[in-house]
Amino acid sequence: MSTPRTRPNDEARFWLKVERSAGCWLWTATIHRSGYGIFRANGRQVYAHRFAYALHFGSVPDGLEVDHVCHNEDDSCQGGSECLHRRCVNPAHLEAVTHRENGRRGKSAFGFNARKTHCPRGHAYDEANTIIERGARICRACREAKRPAGVTPAARTHCPQGHPYSEENTYRTPEGYRKCRTCRRDERRRRHAQAR
C-alpha cells in the first residue's frame, strides 16, 4: 500500500485513532489480517505505520520499507500477526530500510541466521573466511577442513558414497557441479518407496 497525499483533516482523523503512551503508540482502529493498522486517507487505504512515517519524515523513499525498531529491540516478542509492534505508529519507532535489512533485523529464520557472526564451529564470518553460494554463507575454513589435504573437488575420483566418477556414472548440474548417477538413482528409489 502506497502513502497518498494527505488532506488537512486526514492528519487530525489519524491521531484520533492512536493511543499514545511512553513507548509504542498503538493504532486503535481497523487492523489488517497481517496485524498492521489500516487507515483511509484521500480515498485510499494505507498502512497506519507508513502514514505516520510520511507525516513525520515525508514519503517513504523508493525501494525502502518501514521497519518497526521497537519490534527489533523487544526480545520477548515472537512476531507474527499478533505482534503489537505492528500496530505501533510512533514515528520515533519507525525507520525506512531496505527489504533485506528489514528481514535481517526481524525474528524470522532468515533474520536469525543473517545476524550470526560465526559458523557453528566458531569460525568468523568475515570477508576472508566467507563464501556466498546460492545466497547462503559458507565457512571457508570448515569447507577446507572437509577436503583431504591437497585434493580439490575436481580431482576426486569417487563421490562421497564411494561410487566412481566414471564417464557413464557422472552428470553435470546446470550450475556445472559434477554429480553421481548412482546416488541420484538410489535417492529416486528411496523417495518412490516412501511414497507407497
Side-chain angles (χ1 to χ4, degrees):
M1 295 182 194
S2 63
T3 307
R5 281 178 285 177
T6 62
R7 294 180 296 190
N9 65 344
D10 284 343
E11 184 174 355
R13 281 188 317 105
F14 179 83
W15 293 117
L16 288 173
K17 301 170 188 291
V18 176
E19 181 184 302
R20 295 186 190 208
S21 68
C24 291
W25 298 357
L26 295 183
W27 181 252
T28 61
T30 305
I31 304 295
H32 188 269
R33 68 179 171 269
S34 62
Y36 294 101
I38 298 176
F39 180 63
R40 185 169 278 297
N42 206 16
R44 293 174 59 196
Q45 239 182 333
V46 295
Y47 284 125
H49 66 290
R50 288 180 62 89
F51 189 82
Y53 181 93
L55 285 176
H56 198 75
F57 302 108
S59 294
V60 179
D62 287 342
L64 299 184
E65 51 193 49
V66 179
D67 183 26
H68 284 89
V69 179
C70 50
H71 172 72
N72 304 334
E73 295 172 351
D74 184 354
D75 291 334
S76 66
C77 182
Q78 297 300 306
S81 60
E82 300 300 314
C83 169
L84 289 180
H85 298 287
R86 291 186 177 195
R87 293 174 39 198
C88 180
V89 294
N90 183 343
H93 293 187
L94 305 175
E95 183 180 3
V97 298
T98 63
H99 178 72
R100 183 173 183 79
E101 179 62 14
N102 196 0
R104 191 191 69 76
R105 294 175 175 184
K107 312 271 187 212
S108 68
F110 170 79
F112 175 76
N113 286 322
R115 288 189 299 275
K116 289 179 180 174
T117 59
H118 290 74
C119 80
R121 292 193 176 143
H123 304 119
Y125 279 131
D126 57 22
E127 193 173 328
N129 188 48
T130 305
I131 302 166
I132 305 296
E133 202 169 88
R134 296 184 197 131
R137 289 184 300 179
I138 297 169
C139 173
R140 189 181 305 272
C142 289
R143 178 179 269 185
E144 294 299 322
K146 288 180 184 176
R147 290 185 187 159
V151 178
T152 64
R156 292 186 183 142
T157 59
H158 290 72
C159 78
Q161 302 304 318
H163 306 122
Y165 278 133
S166 62
E167 191 172 321
E168 55 278 347
N169 191 45
T170 305
Y171 70 98
R172 295 235 176 233
T173 67
E175 296 84 15
Y177 295 108
R178 191 170 53 160
K179 296 289 184 176
C180 172
R181 290 185 192 278
T182 304
C183 287
R184 182 172 63 174
R185 198 169 34 250
D186 291 349
E187 177 62 19
R188 285 180 178 164
R189 285 183 187 140
R190 187 186 61 76
R191 275 194 241 139
H192 183 70
Q194 284 179 339
R196 287 185 192 174

